[in-house]
Amino acid sequence: MKKGLKYLFILVLIFKSLSCFAQTSDTTPKPYEDTEFEQWQLDLRRFEIITFGAMPFITLDTIIIYSGIQWGMNGFSGAFPNPFMAMSNYSQGEIIGIIVTSFTICVCIAITDYIINKIKRDKAQANTVQDVYVMPESLNPPPEKQAEPPTEE
């Protein structure tokens, strides 16, 4: 009987202590606010997304164009080389050249996007209407009614 009470007491303590650590507040994440990130961070993020997001497509285009150039340099003889085959048709130098060319084109696209967005953002900021405050004449008398500053004698 005492042993059963002892185990019951331990179980009650364990379950009571577990309830102390339970989260009662809402754990749903808050959406980002407009002022949470600085503009350069947003620009850098967009630059990265465009650069690496365009990489597979630009690499495919680069491989197709490179294969076409090789085919043309060989006098258009034979069938067009299949760019979807394994890269075993290319040497290591050609593969590095294709990847470097693709990455350079992706970076150029991202820089162009940054410049276009920067120009749009600056133009929109320049076109914003600034507040104009009009003061009544009683608070700001015309120049002929203003008192002369005291002169030192």
Side-chain angles (χ1 to χ4, degrees), residues 38-85:
E38 294 185 28
Q39 189 59 48
W40 70 267
Q41 292 172 318
L42 297 172
D43 290 338
L44 183 64
R45 174 78 172 139
R46 183 177 174 98
F47 183 88
E48 175 229 349
I49 289 171
I50 290 173
T51 300
F52 292 113
M55 189 71 177
F57 305 106
I58 299 298
T59 302
L60 178 64
D61 292 343
T62 305
I63 290 171
I64 291 172
I65 291 170
Y66 184 74
S67 297
I69 290 172
Q70 273 187 329
W71 185 50
M73 290 176 68
N74 292 331
F76 300 102
S77 61
F80 185 78
N82 186 358
F84 299 110
M85 288 188 58

